[in-house]
């Protein structure tokens, strides 16, 4: 997988910041999502072109976000966690035990139970752009070896 373009972001991003720009990117093609927990950033690539990025919230120390490559296995616009009785709008499930990407309140001193929290409007765009089976690569800022198919690093 080759990255062909990254978005030109003016300055540092803060919690709640996100960008989405599909201009110049192919209208279709494989979607790859990368999440760098160390940088607290999610990036969405279509056919190698970054089309979206946002600051994320991730798991607390006692409920860490797992590292690895995960296919999107379920999508639901309105979902409520059965474990935590928490709303998870625009939920995209990554693991069988409930870790997902979803809209979340963002800010300092906040964390999730392992999920990737993103701004609501960004979550809507991401939800519309993805399909079941699209891959999400979660790293901690270091290279992740995924069988030689993809290498992701910040």
């Amino acid at each position: 997988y080759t990255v062909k373009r990254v978005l030109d972001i003016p300055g540092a991003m803060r919690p709640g910041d996100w960008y989405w720009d599909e201009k110049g990117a192919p209208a279709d093609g494989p979607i790859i999502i990368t999440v760098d927990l160390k940088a607290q950033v999610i990036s969405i690539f279509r056919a190698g072109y970054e089309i979206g990025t946002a600051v994320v919230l991730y798991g607390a120390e006692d409920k860490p976000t797992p590292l690895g490559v995960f296919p999107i296995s379920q999508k639901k616009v309105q979902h409520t966690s059965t474990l935590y009785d928490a709303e998870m709008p625009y939920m995209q499930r990554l693991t069988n035990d409930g870790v997902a990407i979803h809209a979340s309140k963002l800010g300092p001193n906040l964390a999730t139970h392992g999920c990737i929290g993103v701004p609501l409007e960004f979550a809507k765009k991401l939800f519309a752009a993805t399909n079941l089976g699209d891959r999400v690569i979660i790293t901690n800022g270091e290279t992740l070896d995924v069988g030689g198919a993809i290498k992701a690093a910040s």
Side-chain angles (χ1 to χ4, degrees):
Y1 190 80
T2 303
V3 173
K4 298 174 183 170
R5 179 194 78 187
V6 294
L7 293 172
D8 185 17
I9 306 300
M13 295 191 346
R14 301 190 189 314
D17 286 352
W18 62 277
Y19 295 89
W20 196 275
D21 185 356
E22 298 183 48
K23 285 183 245 130
D28 60 2
I31 295 284
I32 299 284
I33 300 167
T34 63
V35 178
D36 182 334
L37 300 178
K38 185 176 181 182
Q40 298 179 324
V41 172
I42 186 170
S43 293
I44 293 72
F45 294 89
R46 182 189 302 131
Y49 291 76
E50 187 179 35
I51 59 172
T53 187
V55 175
V56 299
L57 197 61
Y58 58 92
E61 278 189 32
D62 62 335
K63 299 282 185 187
T65 300
L67 302 179
V69 180
F70 306 92
I72 296 172
S73 61
Q74 180 187 22
K75 293 177 61 165
K76 196 170 175 185
V77 172
Q78 291 297 330
H79 180 74
T80 302
S81 167
T82 55
L83 291 174
Y84 304 107
D85 192 32
E87 295 299 314
M88 300 167 65
Y90 298 94
M91 183 276 299
Q92 299 190 70
R93 184 179 305 279
L94 304 178
T95 69
N96 290 336
D97 61 351
V99 173
I101 299 171
H102 61 82
S104 181
K105 180 180 176 184
L106 291 117
N109 303 316
L110 296 176
T112 70
H113 293 101
C115 289
I116 303 296
V118 297
L120 177 61
E121 293 304 314
F122 182 85
K124 290 178 184 179
K125 289 186 173 289
L126 178 60
F127 192 91
T130 60
N131 294 299
L132 294 178
D134 286 345
R135 291 179 290 177
V136 178
I137 304 165
I138 303 174
T139 69
N140 61 1
E142 298 177 8
T143 300
L144 175 67
D145 184 353
V146 292
I150 298 172
K151 296 221 184 263
S154 74

